[in-house]
Amino acid sequence: MQYDTTEAKRLADAADKALEGVTEGDWIADYLDHNDQRVVKGPHIEVCTCWHHSVGSIEKEMEANARFIAYARQGVPALAASLRDAVAEIERLREALAFYADMTGDG
């Protein structure tokens, strides 16, 4: 069965679209505000605040959400680029295999 690269291309394009207009720069899950809510910030601006609604049992989720949001700013473009590189390599290898298959008459 041949791997279909359509979904990988769609995901990379969706990642690019999701990043349009977002705050530039590296994001970090930074300080707790006066309500003990985790603030995610970029180099010069607060990007968002993750709330836990004063419920201690979901404070771990708030922290995890803040880490994920901060990661996404750098991670999503890196993953999209990696997907594109993998698709390009798959296509390059398919072309090479087709060339050799044609030479041997197996194509």
Side-chain angles (χ1 to χ4, degrees), residues 2 8 14 22 26-27 29 38 42 45 47 54 60 77 100 104-105 107:
Q2 182 171 306
V22 300
D26 293 347
W27 294 359
R38 183 63 62 195
I45 191 170
V47 175
S54 301
K60 288 180 182 177
Y100 288 109
T104 62

Side-chain angles (χ1 to χ4, degrees), residues 26-34 36-50 62-71:
D26 293 347
W27 294 359
I28 58 170
D30 201 26
Y31 61 92
L32 291 172
D33 70 7
H34 66 280
D36 287 332
Q37 313 303 318
R38 183 63 62 195
V39 174
V40 176
K41 60 181 283 214
H44 307 291
I45 191 170
E46 293 177 353
V47 175
C48 70
T49 302
C50 294
M62 174 198 71
E63 294 291 346
N65 291 340
R67 284 191 311 274
F68 178 78
I69 291 166
Y71 163 80

Side-chain angles (χ1 to χ4, degrees), residues 87-97:
V87 166
E89 182 67 3
I90 288 168
E91 290 171 352
R92 184 191 69 76
L93 291 170
R94 283 183 181 157
E95 287 176 18
L97 288 172

